[in-house]
Every structure is written in C-alpha cells, then in structure tokens.
Amino acid sequence: MNPSSPLAGRVAVVTGGTRGVGAGIARAFLAAGADVVVCARRPPEEPVTAAGRTAEYLRLNVRRPAAVEDVITRVQGTYGRLDVLVNNAGGTPHRALADADACRHARVLELNLTAPLTVSLAAYRVMRGQAGGGCVLMVGSVSGTRPSPGAAAYGAAKAGLENLARTMAAEWAPLVRVNTLVPGPVRTGAARALYGDEDGTAVARTIPAGRLAEPEDIGAAAVFLASDAAAYITGASLLVHGGGEYPAYLAALAEQEGSAG
C-alpha cells in the first residue's frame, strides 16, 4: 500500500456525497487515490474535487430500489468493479414524537436504515464476485447511542444501522468487510441551524476536543477503514466524536459549586 495513496486503483460510491459529511468523505477518498462516484437526489452546487481530481455525480434517490440497482450496475459497467460503498445518505427534521404520526417517523427509518440495507445488498452482489471483495461503511451517529429527543426515529435507525453492520460483517466475511463510522456534531453548512452558529460554540464547549468535527475528520477516518491498514477490522464501530460529551452531572456540580462560592 502506498501511504500517500492508500486507495489507489479502487472505486468508491458515496451516497449523499455532494455536500456536508458525504462530500468530506468523497474528497478524502479522491485525495487517497480512489475513483469516486457521489450519489444524491440533486447535483452538487459545484463539483466535488480534491488533489486535482473530480468525483463523478450520479442522480439517486436511495429510497427507490430500482434506481439503486441501476446506479450500481452503471458503476460496475463504467469502472469494472466496486470496492467501497459509503452509506452516508440520511437525515431527519427536528420533530417531537407526538408531533407526527407513525407513518412520518417510518419515513425517517426508511431513509436511515432500510435504504442503506438496499444499497448494501446491491453493492454486495458486485463485491462478492470480484477478486479482493470489498468494503461497506455505514455512517452512523452518536444519536444512535444515547436518547435523541426531537430525533427519536433517527436515533433508532442509527442504532439499528450499527447492529445491521455487525450482522453483515459476520455473514459476508471474509470477502466483504463492514464497519460503522459514528460521528458526533460536525461543522457543515447546516451547523448554524443545528448548533446555534457556524462554529457551534456552545455545543463545542461540551466536547472534550473543544470543537465540532470537520467533514475532513470524518473523511480521514473513512479512508482508514476502507484501506488495507484496516484489513482485520470488520463489524466494528469507530467513534469520531472528539471524546464524546462531558457528563451532564459535572456541569451541574460546577454550577452548584459556583453558586455556593
């Protein structure tokens, strides 16, 4: 493996790869030498580029199985193989459980859990027939490891996604490795709406690392898991969250001590 190009010669598909975390992963893969296809319902505002190279864009609604099969078939036809799939497409509106019916919550589950299963199955049918197999990366969330008020269905889907990845890893080993990236808060174009300002200053104070993650931080972790350096890692969840969150009781104690002083 060339340390400067650990993914040279490999073909990667990144769903939801036109902006935010997905674009950060796609740029990291391009810089690592991979041929990259980014998929989303809408094209990027500007091409996804890195290291003088550009990702190919293919339109895709991951909720539509026939469209998924078509895109994976097109990638195989164009590049001859598929080495890495990153299931990044997902998301949710902020919505309290009682503010919507079960059907609306089910749509969130469909996007964040059922759709990654659909895309993974399509990719596996290619990977299992090629020398070297392949690698599937799920993009989870810390919302799947703790209560998620306002995003209950999303948190449940991300928790299920980790379990799904572990089962895939067991069933598809040793030919196809499957792992989950678990990001914490990430500074993207939506940071102001999610975290109060562009840098998420208030939220950053709750993170031991002292800042939100950048998309490039998630991209670097994705390159590692997709590379030969992680050849023995499968069925794992990699926390990329800057140390997590300070326990709430410590803040409460500090506030109590401050008021007592």
Side-chain angles (χ1 to χ4, degrees):
M1 180 180 71
N2 184 343
S4 64
S5 302
L7 301 182
R10 300 188 191 182
V11 178
V13 168
V14 183
T15 67
T18 58
R19 59 190 177 93
V21 170
I25 293 172
R27 288 192 294 268
F29 278 19
L30 287 167
D35 292 318
V36 180
V37 177
V38 294
C39 303
R41 289 182 297 170
R42 292 180 293 275
E45 293 182 358
E46 55 186 42
V48 178
T49 63
R53 307 174 67 241
T54 302
E56 179 184 0
Y57 166 73
L58 293 179
R59 186 182 300 274
L60 175 63
N61 182 343
V62 293
R63 286 190 172 107
R64 298 181 177 175
V68 168
E69 292 288 349
D70 179 63
V71 163
I72 296 301
T73 298
R74 289 174 64 183
V75 170
Q76 184 183 26
T78 299
Y79 297 94
R81 58 187 299 110
L82 172 58
D83 299 287
V84 184
L85 166 67
V86 181
N87 281 304
N88 170 75
T92 184
H94 187 274
R95 179 186 292 136
L97 272 170
D99 289 345
D101 60 21
C103 290
R104 285 189 177 273
H105 293 303
R107 291 282 289 171
V108 175
L109 291 168
E110 179 188 22
L111 175 60
N112 292 281
L113 180 57
T114 307
L117 170 60
T118 300
V119 185
S120 297
L121 287 169
Y124 175 66
R125 286 190 279 272
V126 175
M127 292 176 178
R128 69 184 179 185
Q130 64 190 18
C135 169
V136 175
L137 296 180
M138 306 295 193
V139 177
S141 169
V142 293
S143 293
T145 64
R146 55 162 170 72
S148 299
Y154 177 79
K158 292 300 188 180
L161 193 64
E162 286 193 60
N163 185 274
L164 176 64
R166 287 192 291 270
T167 301
M168 283 180 175
E171 290 196 8
W172 295 353
L175 195 61
V176 175
R177 295 186 300 110
V178 187
N179 292 295
T180 305
L181 285 164
V182 186
V186 182
R187 190 165 74 91
T188 66
R192 182 174 296 276
L194 292 171
Y195 309 125
D197 60 56
E198 186 175 336
D199 294 319
T201 305
V203 174
R205 286 197 294 267
T206 72
I207 300 171
R211 65 175 177 86
L212 304 185
E214 299 289 342
E216 288 73 19
D217 294 316
I218 313 305
V223 167
F224 164 67
L225 286 178
S227 74
D228 290 342
Y232 196 64
I233 300 175
T234 192
S237 296
L238 178 58
L239 295 167
V240 192
H241 61 7
E245 301 169 339
Y246 287 115
Y249 77 87
L250 292 179
L253 286 174
E255 182 178 349
Q256 184 181 42
E257 291 170 358
S259 60

